[in-house]
Amino acid sequence: MELDLQCYSVRTDLAVESKEMINSLEPAPIPGVVEDISQEDGIKITRLDVQNEAASQKIGRVVGHYVTLEVPELRKGDTGLQEHVATVFAREFEQFMQHIGLGPHASVLIVGLGNWNVTPDSLGPLVVENVMVTRHYFELMPDRVAPGYRQISAVAPGVLGVTGIESSEIVQGIVERTRPDAIVAIDALASRSLERVNTTIQIADIGIHPGSGIGNKRRGLTKDILGIPCIAIGVPTVCYASTIVNNAIEMMKNHFGSDSKQTGQIMGMLNEISEHDRLALVKEVLEPLGHDLIVTPKEIDEFIEDIANIVASGLNAALHEAVDPGNVGAYTH
Amino acid sequence: MELDLQCYSVRTDLAVESKEMINSLEPAPIPGVVEDISQEDGIKITRLDVQNEAASQKIGRVVGHYVTLEVPELRKGDTGLQEHVATVFAREFEQFMQHIGLGPHASVLIVGLGNWNVTPDSLGPLVVENVMVTRHYFELMPDRVAPGYRQISAVAPGVLGVTGIESSEIVQGIVERTRPDAIVAIDALASRSLERVNTTIQIADIGIHPGSGIGNKRRGLTKDILGIPCIAIGVPTVCYASTIVNNAIEMMKNHFGSDSKQTGQIMGMLNEISEHDRLALVKEVLEPLGHDLIVTPKEIDEFIEDIANIVASGLNAALHEAVDPGNVGAYTH
Amino acid sequence: MELDLQCYSVRTDLAVESKEMINSLEPAPIPGVVEDISQEDGIKITRLDVQNEAASQKIGRVVGHYVTLEVPELRKGDTGLQEHVATVFAREFEQFMQHIGLGPHASVLIVGLGNWNVTPDSLGPLVVENVMVTRHYFELMPDRVAPGYRQISAVAPGVLGVTGIESSEIVQGIVERTRPDAIVAIDALASRSLERVNTTIQIADIGIHPGSGIGNKRRGLTKDILGIPCIAIGVPTVCYASTIVNNAIEMMKNHFGSDSKQTGQIMGMLNEISEHDRLALVKEVLEPLGHDLIVTPKEIDEFIEDIANIVASGLNAALHEAVDPGNVGAYTH
Amino acid sequence: MELDLQCYSVRTDLAVESKEMINSLEPAPIPGVVEDISQEDGIKITRLDVQNEAASQKIGRVVGHYVTLEVPELRKGDTGLQEHVATVFAREFEQFMQHIGLGPHASVLIVGLGNWNVTPDSLGPLVVENVMVTRHYFELMPDRVAPGYRQISAVAPGVLGVTGIESSEIVQGIVERTRPDAIVAIDALASRSLERVNTTIQIADIGIHPGSGIGNKRRGLTKDILGIPCIAIGVPTVCYASTIVNNAIEMMKNHFGSDSKQTGQIMGMLNEISEHDRLALVKEVLEPLGHDLIVTPKEIDEFIEDIANIVASGLNAALHEAVDPGNVGAYTH
C-alpha cells in the first residue's frame, strides 16, 4: 500500500491534513512526528514537528515546525471572535519566532504573495496593506523611533503571469538590497477539506516551496535560497473539486461506520481502496470533463478581508513589543 | 420511485439540468416538454418549452419558455469568442422578445438582482452598470432621441440583508411609478454542475421565483405580481458542495459504464439509488460537518466581469435596433 | 448691490457658507436667521434656523433647521477623533429628530444618493452599506426583535445616468410600497471652500432640492413630494475650481487686511467688486478654457471611507436606543 | 528678476509647462532648448530637447529629450479618440526608443510607480496590470516564443508608506537580479494647469527624479543609479490648489489683455509681479489655512482607467513588433 504521500497528490498545503490522512490509514504514531494539540475558546491549536527525513517522507511534508490554528466558527463573522483569534495568533507567532531564534530586534520583511485581482489569492497583498511598516523611520530618522518597535518592511511582489518574474526572484533582489534578518511570507493555500477553508491559519518555518500555494511560484522562498529564516503563514482559501468529492466519500465511509461489510454494500470498492487511489480515480473521472476546478466559498470577499485583518493585526502585535494584543485592531484599517 | 423534482431539492436553477436529471432516470420523452437543440461554433443552444402543469410537475420547472446557451470554452477568456456569444445571445434574446409578444417600442426596465459586494452574486448590478439607459432622454428631450432606440431604464435594487426590503417590493414600487412595458431581470444562479458555472446563460419568460437565485428573494418578480411580462436572464455562478459530490458520483457511475454488475461492485448501493436519494444521503453526511458550502470557481472575479459584459452587450444590441450586433462591444465599458 | 444669493450662483450646498458670504458683505444680523455656535474638542457645531421666506431669500437657503459639524482635523485620519465625531453626530442627530417631532418608534428609510463608481459621489451608497437595517426582521419575525431597535430600511437608488430614472422617482415608488415614517437622505455636496471638503457634516430638515448635491437629481426629495419628513445629511466632497479661485482671492483680500487703499493697490478692482460679481468674472475666464472643473482632494478614497463610517456609526447609534454611542463602531465594517 | 525655475517651486512635472512659464516672462528663444510642435487630429505633440546644463538651469528641467502629447478632448470619454491616442503614443514611443538607441530585442522592465489605493496615484500599478509580459516565456520556453515579441517584465513596487522601502531600492534589487536592458517607469504627475490633468502624456529619457511624481520617491530611478536607460512616462493627474489659483490669475490677466493700464486697474499688483512671486504669495495665504490641498478632478476614477488603458495599449504595440497598433486594444482588459 502506497503510504508516502506527496504534497501535490493529495492537494493539501496543510500539515495537519497530511497527518490526518496518514492516520486514517495507519492509526499508529509516526516516528519523528511529534504532535501537541490544545483547545481554547473555540480555537484548536496543533503544534507539529516533522523531525527528520524519514518522517518527512512518511508524512509528505518538509522537515520543520508547524503550528496550526483551526477556528470553525470563524466563518460566522463574529467580530469578538476575530479579535480573540488575532490575539492568540499573535501569541503563537511570538513564541514561534523565539522558537526559531529570532530576537526582539531582528528586522523582518513581510512578503505578501498572490494576486490583488483574484479574490481567493489576494490574502498576501491585503496583509501587506494592513501591517505597520517602520523600516523607513529607522532609515530616515532613527533617533525618533519610539522603543518597542522593530524594523519592518513589506512587499507584494505580484504573480508570474502579471510580472513575468518569479516572485522568489523579486524577493531575492529586495533581500539583497535591504538585508532583513528574516522573511515572513503570507500566502493563500489549498485545503483538502472545505470546512478548513478560511477557518485555519498555519505557521511554518519551512518557507514557501515550489508547488505550494494556489498560484505559480516555482522557485520558492527558503532559507537555502535566501540565506535567512523564512516563516510561512498560510490560510487555505480554496479546494480542488476532486478533493471535495474524495473527502466527501471518506466522510460517507465514516458515516456508515465500523461495520465494513455494510459500508462495503453501500459504497462498493470505494470503501476499500486507499484515499490516494480513490483521489486518482475521482480525478480521472472529473478532469477530462472540465469538472476538476479549484473552488472557493461564495462568501470569499468577506472571508478574505476578515482573515487578512486577523493576520495583519496579529503580526503587528507579535512583531512590535509596543503594540498591545488588546488594542491590536487599531493599527490596521 | 420519486420522479417529481422540486427545484430546491436538486439545487439547480437551470431547466436543462432538470430535464437532464429526469432523462437520466427515464429516457423516454416527457409529455408537454418540447426541446430543440442546435449547435453553432462552440455554442449549444437549447430551446425548451414546458407546456403544461403536468409537465411542470414532472420536470420541476415552472410552465414557460426556456432558452439556454452553453459555451464550455467561455472559461478560457478568449475575447473573440466572448464577442461571438454576445452576438448570438442578442439574436436569441430578440427572438425571445418577439416570441412573447414584445414589440420594438416596448419600454423595458432592466433589474439587476444581487449584491455588489459578493462577487459571485454581483452579475445583476454589473449588467445594470453596463447597459445603455435611454428613458431619461425620452422623458427630458423626446424630440431629440434618434430612431432605433427603445426606452430603457435599469436598477440594482440590492439584497434584503442590506436594504431590509425585498427586492421584489422595491421593483414593484418602481414599476408602479415608471410604468415600463416589461421587466428583464438578471440574476446569478446555482447549477448542479461545476462545468456549467460561468459558461451558461439561461433566458426564461417565467420571471424570478421564490427560492431561485443564490440570495434571498422570497417574493419573486412575476407577471402575476407585477402585471407585465418578466423575462429572467440567469447565469449559474455557484454550486453546492453536495451537488458537486453527487454529480461526481453520477459521472463515476457513467464512467464505469453499462455493465451494472461491475459498477455495482465498484460503487455499491451508490450505483443503485436514485439521484434524488443519493443527494439526500450526501447532504445528510456533509451538512452537519459544515461541508455543504456554496462554492464558486477561484477565477470568479474575471469570469463575472466577462459574462456581465457579454450579457450587457447582448442586451444593448437586442433592445436597440440602432445598435449593431457587430459593434456591440462599443456601448459598454 | 446684489445680495440675494442663489444656491447655484455661489456653488455651495452649505448653509454656514451662505451665511458667511452674506456676513462678509453685511456684518449686521439677518432678521429671521438665528444662529447658535458651540465648540467642543475640535468640533465646531453651528445650529442655524432660517425662519421665514424673507430670510430664505436673503441667505439663499430654503426655510428650515440646519446643524453643521465642522472638524478641521478630521482630515488627519485619527481613529480616536473619528469615533468622537461619530458620537457627537449621533447626539446631534437624535436631538434633530426630536426637534422635528420624530419619536423613537418612527420607521426610517435611509436613502444613499450618488454613484458607487465615482469616488467623491459614493458617500450615500457607502453609508447604506454600513447602516444596520432591521425592517425585514420586523416584517418576518416581529416577535423576535429585541427592544431598543427601530424599523430601518436603506436603499441606494443610483444616479440618472446609470438608471435612466430620477432617484426621487425611485424613492417615491419605494416610499409608496413600504410606508416609512421619515426619510434620511445622504448625499455628497459641493463646498466653496476646500478646507470644508471632507471635514464637515450638515444635517437639515429640508430634504434634497433640485440642484443640490454633485450629481443630477432634478426632482428632489422633500416633504411636499413624499408626504413625510425628509432629513438631509450632506458632506461636501468637492469644489468648483472657480470657487477655489474666488475664495482664494477673498482670502488674499483679508490677508492684506483693513487698509483698503493698500489692498486696492495690490489687488485692484478685485478688491472692490462683490463676491458674486468676482465669481462671475472668474467663471467667465475659466469656463471657456475648460478650467472650471469640479475637483476633490487627492486623498478622496480614504476620506470618503472614513466619513461614511462616521455617518453610518452615528446613524446606528442615533436611530437605535439599544446601540450605545460608546461602542458605535462595532455595528459597521 | 528670478527666472531660474526649480521644479518644486512651480509645482509642475511637465517640461511643456516649464517652457511655457519661461516664455510668459521672456518670449525670446532659450539657447539650448529646441522645440518642435506638431498637430494631428486633436493631438498636439511637442518634442522638446533640453541640450545642456545652462538650458536646464534656465528652464528648471533635467537635460534630456521630452515628448508630450496633449489631447484636450480626451476627457470626453470618446472610445475612438482613445484608440487613436494609443496608436499615436505607440508610434512616438517607438521613435523615442530608437532615438535613445534601444533596439527591437532590448529587454524592458516596466515599473508602475504609485499606490493602488489612492485613485489619482494608481496609474502605474494599473498600467502594470494591463501590459503584456513575456519574460517568463523567454525564461521557461524560449523555443516557443513567436517572433516579434520582446522580453518584457513589469512590477508595481508600491509606495514608501506601505512598504517601508524606497521604490527605487526595490527596483534596483529587481534590476540586479533580472538584468533588463532598460526601464520604462510610469508615474502620476502634478500639473500647474487643471486642463492638462488627465489629458496629457509626457515621455522623457530622464528617469524618475526625487521630488517628481505625486508621492514620496526620494531616491529616483535614473541611469546613474541603475546603470541602464530609464524612460519615464508621466500623466498629470493632480494639481495644487495654489497653482490653480495662480494659473487662474494668469488667465485673468491675459483675459483683460494687452492694455496693461486697464489690467492694472482691475488686478492691481497681481498684474505686475512675476508668476513665481505671485505663486509664493498665493501659497503664503492658502497654506496656513489648510487650503493648499492637492486636488484631482471629480471624475478621476474613469479618467485614470481610460488613460491607463491608452498607455498600456500603446506600450504593447510599441514594444512588440507582432502587436499591430490597429488591434492594440485586444491585448489589454
Side-chain angles (χ1 to χ4, degrees):
Chain A
M1 187 182 281
E2 173 61 38
L3 271 188
D4 289 353
L5 302 177
Q6 284 177 300
C7 161
Y8 180 73
S9 74
V10 293
R11 290 176 162 175
T12 177
D13 299 310
L14 292 175
V16 291
E17 292 192 337
S18 302
K19 171 77 176 23
E20 194 177 79
M21 281 183 279
I22 296 295
N23 278 359
S24 76
L25 297 164
E26 285 192 350
I30 307 161
V33 174
V34 176
E35 192 182 42
D36 168 60
I37 298 177
S38 61
Q39 279 280 358
E40 54 176 290
D41 307 332
I43 306 176
K44 180 180 176 189
I45 303 171
T46 306
R47 295 178 190 82
L48 196 142
D49 272 303
V50 178
Q51 299 182 318
N52 53 47
E53 266 311 310
S56 166
Q57 277 296 313
K58 191 80 176 179
I59 199 176
R61 313 301 316 178
V62 172
V63 171
H65 183 51
Y66 300 81
V67 174
T68 310
L69 275 63
E70 293 173 75
V71 197
E73 301 292 299
L74 208 46
R75 209 172 266 150
K76 294 191 178 159
D78 174 338
T79 315
L81 179 60
Q82 289 170 10
E83 282 171 20
H84 182 57
V85 174
T87 304
V88 172
F89 170 73
R91 187 194 68 205
E92 291 295 323
F93 192 80
E94 221 172 322
Q95 288 173 9
F96 198 97
M97 286 195 294
Q98 286 162 9
H99 184 88
I100 65 167
L102 285 173
H105 298 293
S107 64
V108 171
L109 170 62
I110 295 170
V111 176
L113 298 166
N115 190 341
W116 277 110
N117 295 308
V118 174
T119 306
D121 196 23
S122 65
L123 176 70
L126 274 176
V127 170
V128 164
E129 201 175 72
N130 282 319
V131 289
M132 287 175 67
V133 294
T134 55
R135 181 180 173 277
H136 48 321
Y137 300 125
F138 282 86
E139 294 277 310
L140 300 173
M141 38 179 130
D143 303 340
R144 295 179 52 196
V145 179
Y149 288 94
R150 183 196 297 267
Q151 200 168 323
I152 299 293
S153 52
V155 292
V159 292
L160 186 62
V162 170
T163 64
I165 313 175
E166 300 265 5
S167 49
S168 63
E169 281 195 273
I170 292 178
V171 173
Q172 208 169 341
I174 297 168
V175 165
E176 279 158 14
R177 289 225 46 99
T178 64
R179 300 280 168 212
D181 296 319
I183 296 275
V184 173
I186 293 105
D187 202 5
L189 305 177
S191 163
R192 70 186 272 271
S193 150
L194 256 184
E195 78 187 327
R196 284 208 180 84
V197 166
N198 298 319
T199 63
T200 305
I201 306 173
Q202 176 178 274
I203 310 168
D205 58 0
I206 60 164
I208 302 289
H209 285 262
S212 330
I214 62 176
N216 286 319
K217 294 128 201 161
R218 264 146 311 243
R219 286 189 53 220
L221 297 174
T222 61
K223 192 168 183 177
D224 283 356
I225 294 173
L226 299 172
I228 49 175
C230 186
I231 303 176
I233 297 174
V235 173
T237 64
V238 298
C239 276
Y240 283 82
S242 55
T243 62
I244 294 177
V245 173
N246 187 39
N247 199 36
I249 295 174
E250 183 74 19
M251 289 163 77
M252 288 164 77
K253 196 175 131 181
N254 296 337
H255 182 77
F256 296 122
S258 55
D259 182 346
S260 70
K261 193 176 157 207
Q262 192 212 329
T263 309
Q265 280 171 350
I266 298 172
M267 302 188 56
M269 256 175 55
L270 291 179
N271 184 41
E272 289 156 39
I273 58 177
S274 76
E275 169 142 25
H276 185 262
D277 292 351
R278 199 176 58 221
L279 179 59
L281 176 68
V282 172
K283 281 159 61 176
E284 188 188 319
V285 172
L286 296 186
E287 266 174 8
L289 298 163
H291 281 251
D292 195 13
L293 297 178
I294 302 178
V295 298
T296 191
K298 171 167 95 77
E299 299 81 1
I300 185 66
D301 303 86
E302 196 178 349
F303 286 164
I304 210 95
E305 204 176 302
D306 288 347
I307 206 112
N309 270 323
I310 290 169
V311 172
S313 298
L315 283 178
N316 288 343
L319 292 170
H320 303 292
E321 278 177 40
V323 179
D324 177 8
N327 66 345
V328 107
Y331 297 86
T332 66
H333 48 259
Chain B
M1 187 183 279
E2 171 62 37
L3 272 187
D4 288 354
L5 303 176
Q6 283 179 302
C7 163
Y8 179 73
S9 76
V10 293
R11 291 175 162 176
T12 178
D13 298 311
L14 293 175
V16 289
E17 292 192 339
S18 302
K19 171 78 175 26
E20 194 177 77
M21 281 184 280
I22 296 293
N23 278 358
S24 76
L25 298 164
E26 287 193 350
I30 307 161
V33 174
V34 177
E35 191 182 42
D36 168 60
I37 298 177
S38 62
Q39 279 279 0
E40 53 176 290
D41 307 331
I43 306 175
K44 181 180 176 188
I45 303 169
T46 306
R47 294 178 192 81
L48 198 140
D49 272 303
V50 178
Q51 298 180 318
N52 53 45
E53 266 311 310
S56 165
Q57 277 294 314
K58 190 82 175 176
I59 199 176
R61 314 299 317 177
V62 172
V63 171
H65 183 51
Y66 300 81
V67 174
T68 310
L69 276 62
E70 292 173 75
V71 197
E73 301 293 298
L74 207 46
R75 210 173 265 150
K76 295 192 177 158
D78 173 339
T79 314
L81 178 60
Q82 290 169 11
E83 282 172 18
H84 182 57
V85 175
T87 305
V88 172
F89 171 73
R91 187 195 67 205
E92 291 294 324
F93 192 81
E94 222 173 320
Q95 287 173 8
F96 199 96
M97 285 194 296
Q98 286 162 7
H99 185 89
I100 65 166
L102 285 173
H105 298 293
S107 64
V108 171
L109 169 62
I110 295 171
V111 176
L113 297 166
N115 190 342
W116 278 110
N117 294 309
V118 174
T119 305
D121 196 23
S122 64
L123 176 69
L126 274 175
V127 170
V128 164
E129 202 175 72
N130 282 318
V131 289
M132 288 175 67
V133 295
T134 55
R135 180 179 173 277
H136 49 321
Y137 301 124
F138 281 87
E139 293 277 310
L140 300 173
M141 38 178 129
D143 302 341
R144 295 179 51 196
V145 179
Y149 289 93
R150 181 197 297 268
Q151 199 168 326
I152 299 293
S153 52
V155 291
V159 292
L160 185 62
V162 170
T163 63
I165 313 174
E166 300 265 7
S167 49
S168 62
E169 281 194 273
I170 292 178
V171 173
Q172 207 168 340
I174 297 168
V175 165
E176 279 159 14
R177 291 230 39 105
T178 64
R179 300 279 166 212
D181 296 320
I183 296 276
V184 174
I186 293 106
D187 202 7
L189 305 178
S191 164
R192 70 185 272 270
S193 151
L194 256 184
E195 78 187 329
R196 284 208 181 86
V197 167
N198 298 319
T199 63
T200 306
I201 305 172
Q202 175 178 276
I203 310 167
D205 58 359
I206 59 162
I208 303 289
H209 285 263
S212 330
I214 63 176
N216 287 319
K217 295 127 200 162
R218 264 147 310 243
R219 286 187 53 217
L221 297 175
T222 61
K223 192 169 183 177
D224 283 355
I225 294 174
L226 300 171
I228 50 175
C230 185
I231 304 176
I233 297 174
V235 174
T237 64
V238 298
C239 276
Y240 283 81
S242 55
T243 62
I244 294 176
V245 174
N246 188 40
N247 200 36
I249 294 173
E250 184 73 20
M251 289 162 77
M252 288 164 77
K253 196 175 130 181
N254 297 336
H255 182 76
F256 297 121
S258 55
D259 180 346
S260 71
K261 191 176 159 205
Q262 191 212 330
T263 309
Q265 280 169 351
I266 298 171
M267 301 189 56
M269 256 176 55
L270 292 178
N271 185 40
E272 289 157 38
I273 58 177
S274 75
E275 170 143 23
H276 186 262
D277 292 351
R278 199 176 57 221
L279 179 59
L281 177 67
V282 171
K283 280 161 59 177
E284 186 188 320
V285 172
L286 296 186
E287 267 175 6
L289 298 163
H291 281 250
D292 195 14
L293 297 178
I294 302 178
V295 298
T296 191
K298 171 167 96 77
E299 299 81 1
I300 186 66
D301 303 86
E302 197 178 349
F303 286 164
I304 210 95
E305 205 176 302
D306 288 347
I307 206 110
N309 270 322
I310 290 170
V311 172
S313 298
L315 284 178
N316 288 343
L319 292 171
H320 303 291
E321 277 177 41
V323 179
D324 178 9
N327 66 347
V328 107
Y331 297 86
T332 67
H333 48 261
Chain C
M1 188 182 279
E2 171 64 36
L3 272 186
D4 288 353
L5 302 176
Q6 282 178 301
C7 162
Y8 179 73
S9 74
V10 294
R11 288 176 163 175
T12 177
D13 298 311
L14 294 174
V16 290
E17 292 192 337
S18 302
K19 171 79 174 26
E20 196 176 77
M21 282 184 281
I22 295 295
N23 278 358
S24 75
L25 298 165
E26 288 192 347
I30 306 162
V33 173
V34 177
E35 191 182 42
D36 168 60
I37 298 178
S38 61
Q39 279 280 359
E40 54 176 289
D41 307 332
I43 306 177
K44 180 181 176 187
I45 302 171
T46 306
R47 295 178 192 82
L48 197 140
D49 273 302
V50 178
Q51 297 181 319
N52 52 48
E53 267 311 308
S56 166
Q57 278 296 314
K58 191 83 176 174
I59 199 174
R61 315 300 316 177
V62 172
V63 170
H65 184 50
Y66 300 82
V67 175
T68 309
L69 276 62
E70 293 173 75
V71 197
E73 301 292 297
L74 208 46
R75 212 173 262 152
K76 296 195 177 155
D78 173 339
T79 314
L81 178 60
Q82 289 170 10
E83 283 171 19
H84 182 58
V85 175
T87 304
V88 172
F89 170 73
R91 186 195 68 205
E92 292 294 323
F93 192 80
E94 222 173 320
Q95 289 172 9
F96 199 96
M97 286 195 295
Q98 285 161 10
H99 184 88
I100 66 166
L102 284 173
H105 298 293
S107 64
V108 171
L109 170 62
I110 294 170
V111 175
L113 297 166
N115 189 342
W116 276 111
N117 294 309
V118 174
T119 305
D121 197 25
S122 65
L123 176 71
L126 275 175
V127 170
V128 164
E129 203 175 69
N130 282 318
V131 289
M132 289 176 66
V133 295
T134 54
R135 181 180 172 275
H136 49 322
Y137 300 126
F138 281 87
E139 293 278 310
L140 300 172
M141 39 179 127
D143 303 341
R144 295 181 51 197
V145 178
Y149 289 94
R150 182 196 298 266
Q151 200 168 322
I152 300 293
S153 52
V155 292
V159 292
L160 186 63
V162 170
T163 63
I165 312 175
E166 299 265 7
S167 50
S168 63
E169 280 196 273
I170 292 179
V171 173
Q172 207 169 341
I174 297 169
V175 165
E176 278 158 13
R177 290 226 47 97
T178 64
R179 300 278 166 213
D181 296 319
I183 296 276
V184 174
I186 293 104
D187 202 5
L189 305 178
S191 164
R192 71 185 270 271
S193 151
L194 256 184
E195 79 188 327
R196 283 209 180 84
V197 166
N198 296 320
T199 62
T200 307
I201 306 173
Q202 176 178 273
I203 311 168
D205 59 0
I206 60 163
I208 303 288
H209 285 263
S212 330
I214 64 175
N216 288 318
K217 295 125 201 164
R218 265 145 309 244
R219 283 188 54 218
L221 297 174
T222 61
K223 192 168 183 179
D224 282 356
I225 293 173
L226 300 171
I228 49 175
C230 185
I231 303 176
I233 298 175
V235 174
T237 64
V238 298
C239 276
Y240 284 82
S242 55
T243 62
I244 293 176
V245 173
N246 187 41
N247 200 35
I249 293 172
E250 182 74 20
M251 289 162 77
M252 287 162 77
K253 196 175 131 184
N254 297 336
H255 182 76
F256 297 121
S258 54
D259 181 347
S260 70
K261 192 177 158 206
Q262 192 210 329
T263 309
Q265 280 169 350
I266 299 172
M267 302 187 61
M269 255 176 57
L270 291 178
N271 184 40
E272 289 156 38
I273 58 178
S274 75
E275 170 142 23
H276 186 263
D277 292 350
R278 199 176 57 220
L279 179 60
L281 176 67
V282 172
K283 280 160 60 177
E284 187 188 319
V285 173
L286 297 185
E287 266 174 7
L289 298 162
H291 280 251
D292 195 14
L293 297 177
I294 301 177
V295 299
T296 191
K298 172 167 96 78
E299 300 80 0
I300 186 66
D301 302 86
E302 196 177 349
F303 286 164
I304 207 95
E305 206 176 299
D306 288 347
I307 206 111
N309 271 321
I310 289 169
V311 172
S313 298
L315 283 178
N316 288 343
L319 292 170
H320 302 292
E321 278 178 40
V323 178
D324 178 10
N327 67 346
V328 107
Y331 297 87
T332 67
H333 48 262
Chain D
M1 187 184 282
E2 172 64 37
L3 271 185
D4 289 354
L5 303 176
Q6 283 179 301
C7 162
Y8 179 73
S9 74
V10 294
R11 289 177 162 173
T12 177
D13 299 311
L14 293 175
V16 290
E17 292 193 338
S18 301
K19 171 76 175 25
E20 193 176 79
M21 282 183 280
I22 295 294
N23 278 357
S24 74
L25 297 164
E26 288 192 347
I30 307 162
V33 173
V34 177
E35 192 183 43
D36 168 61
I37 299 176
S38 62
Q39 279 279 359
E40 52 176 290
D41 308 332
I43 306 177
K44 179 180 176 188
I45 303 171
T46 306
R47 294 178 193 80
L48 196 141
D49 272 302
V50 178
Q51 298 181 320
N52 52 47
E53 267 311 308
S56 167
Q57 277 295 314
K58 191 82 176 177
I59 199 174
R61 314 301 316 177
V62 173
V63 170
H65 184 50
Y66 301 81
V67 174
T68 310
L69 275 63
E70 292 173 76
V71 198
E73 301 292 297
L74 208 45
R75 210 173 265 150
K76 296 195 176 154
D78 173 339
T79 314
L81 178 61
Q82 289 170 10
E83 282 171 19
H84 182 57
V85 174
T87 305
V88 172
F89 171 73
R91 187 195 67 205
E92 292 294 323
F93 192 81
E94 222 173 321
Q95 288 173 9
F96 199 97
M97 286 194 296
Q98 286 162 9
H99 184 89
I100 65 166
L102 285 173
H105 297 294
S107 64
V108 171
L109 170 62
I110 295 170
V111 175
L113 297 166
N115 189 341
W116 276 111
N117 294 309
V118 175
T119 306
D121 196 24
S122 65
L123 176 71
L126 275 175
V127 170
V128 164
E129 202 175 72
N130 281 320
V131 290
M132 289 177 65
V133 295
T134 54
R135 181 179 172 277
H136 50 319
Y137 300 124
F138 281 87
E139 294 277 311
L140 300 172
M141 39 177 130
D143 303 342
R144 295 180 51 196
V145 179
Y149 289 94
R150 182 197 296 267
Q151 200 168 323
I152 300 293
S153 52
V155 292
V159 291
L160 186 62
V162 170
T163 63
I165 312 175
E166 299 265 7
S167 50
S168 63
E169 282 196 272
I170 292 178
V171 173
Q172 208 169 340
I174 297 168
V175 165
E176 279 158 14
R177 291 230 40 104
T178 64
R179 300 278 165 213
D181 296 319
I183 296 276
V184 174
I186 293 104
D187 202 6
L189 305 178
S191 164
R192 71 185 271 273
S193 151
L194 257 184
E195 80 188 325
R196 284 210 179 83
V197 166
N198 298 319
T199 63
T200 306
I201 306 173
Q202 175 177 275
I203 310 169
D205 59 0
I206 59 162
I208 301 289
H209 285 263
S212 331
I214 62 175
N216 287 319
K217 295 127 200 163
R218 264 145 310 245
R219 282 189 54 220
L221 297 175
T222 61
K223 193 169 183 178
D224 282 356
I225 293 173
L226 300 171
I228 50 175
C230 185
I231 303 175
I233 297 174
V235 174
T237 64
V238 298
C239 275
Y240 283 82
S242 54
T243 62
I244 294 177
V245 173
N246 188 39
N247 200 34
I249 294 174
E250 183 73 21
M251 289 163 77
M252 286 163 77
K253 196 175 131 182
N254 297 336
H255 181 75
F256 297 121
S258 54
D259 181 347
S260 69
K261 192 176 159 209
Q262 191 210 332
T263 310
Q265 280 170 349
I266 299 171
M267 301 186 60
M269 256 176 56
L270 291 177
N271 185 41
E272 289 156 39
I273 59 178
S274 76
E275 170 142 25
H276 186 262
D277 292 349
R278 200 177 55 221
L279 180 59
L281 177 67
V282 171
K283 280 159 62 176
E284 188 189 320
V285 172
L286 296 185
E287 266 174 9
L289 298 163
H291 280 251
D292 195 13
L293 297 178
I294 301 177
V295 299
T296 191
K298 172 166 97 77
E299 301 79 2
I300 186 66
D301 302 88
E302 195 177 350
F303 286 164
I304 208 97
E305 206 176 300
D306 288 348
I307 206 111
N309 271 323
I310 289 169
V311 172
S313 298
L315 283 178
N316 289 342
L319 292 170
H320 303 291
E321 279 177 39
V323 179
D324 178 9
N327 66 347
V328 107
Y331 297 87
T332 66
H333 49 259

